[in-house]
Amino acid sequence: MEIMQQQPVKDAKALLGDVPRHSVREVIAGKLAALISSGILSQGDALPSERELAISLSVSRETVRGSIAILAERGILLVTQGARTTVADADLSRTMAPGVIPQMDGPYGLKSVHEARLLVECRIGAEAARHATPQVLEAMRRSLAAQEACDDDPVRFLLADREFHSLLYDAAGNDVLADIAMSLHTHLLDHRRRIIAQPGAIVVSIEDHRVILSAIERRDVETTVTAVTAHVTRIYDTTRAFLEPQPD
């Protein structure tokens, strides 16, 4: 068990290089804040445990604890001895630096967002298949394993899902495309918690991710683009079905 707990620390160092520890904690704090900013977690909601967060984000529990402390100091989280950490304030505009959480300002239509996301993520998928490093591929495998360990917990899954997509975006090697893709990924994400909680939804998403990762590992550009297209389209279809009124 001790080996499993230490592995994320080693892997995180391999990915982050010489990034100072306090900066790593700020990065993880930003990822936790994104859960709140996107509406996945609301005021009063409990966070997953430190252990679950560490597994999902491939970092140590110490790093998670430090990140939670940062957000607690800013009044975003409430840490209570003997109880789960909860969201104290869901309005992050006053407490997080601009640009920490990529997001779009406009009230864009679902179809427009889908078309833009499809365009961007297909390009990202192709570039990831060409350029993904062994370190990023290993991180994506760990993210997939973290998703499989989520059982039916939509919050834990969406955290691991966001990490998987973030790794995919970074694998393409274009930081502008990565920021655009993450902004599109975050749009309307608050609805995904209820959509992904439907029976079988998590299993289907994990299988989509497995196909994407397998294609990238084989450096198969065409299959990667096809797999990304299927995944993004599935997200669009399930979100549209959720948002649009059903006929009687």
Side-chain angles (χ1 to χ4, degrees), residues 6-162:
Q6 292 299 321
Q7 187 66 28
V9 183
K10 178 181 177 182
D11 292 332
K13 288 180 179 178
L15 284 170
L16 296 169
D18 297 326
V19 177
R21 178 169 297 187
H22 68 86
S23 297
V24 176
R25 291 176 178 174
E26 286 281 359
V27 169
I28 300 303
K31 292 183 178 183
L32 296 178
L35 284 179
I36 303 168
S37 176
S38 63
I40 294 174
L41 287 173
S42 303
Q43 187 170 340
D45 284 350
L47 265 66
S49 69
E50 288 182 1
R51 176 180 176 277
E52 292 165 345
L53 290 171
I55 291 172
S56 297
L57 297 167
S58 293
V59 294
S60 68
R61 293 178 67 172
E62 179 187 3
T63 297
V64 169
R65 194 174 300 120
S67 301
I68 288 174
I70 290 172
L71 296 180
E73 184 178 352
R74 297 176 184 176
I76 297 170
L77 297 179
L78 176 63
V79 179
T80 305
Q81 187 68 28
R84 296 285 286 272
T85 298
T86 58
V87 178
D89 187 354
D91 183 3
L92 274 59
S93 61
R94 302 184 303 273
T95 52
M96 298 299 292
V100 170
I101 305 168
Q103 55 186 344
M104 300 187 302
D105 295 329
Y108 304 112
L110 179 62
K111 188 173 185 294
S112 295
V113 172
H114 165 66
E115 291 174 350
R117 183 176 179 183
L118 195 59
L119 182 67
V120 172
E121 292 210 21
C122 283
R123 175 60 183 270
I124 282 175
E127 294 304 311
R130 295 186 181 102
H131 304 299
T133 65
Q135 292 85 355
V136 170
L137 289 173
E138 180 57 31
M140 292 178 75
R141 294 185 195 106
R142 291 195 307 275
S143 177
L144 193 58
Q147 294 168 46
E148 293 167 344
C150 288
D151 298 321
D152 295 324
D153 186 331
V155 173
R156 285 179 61 193
F157 172 76
L158 287 171
L159 177 60
D161 172 79
R162 187 180 191 277

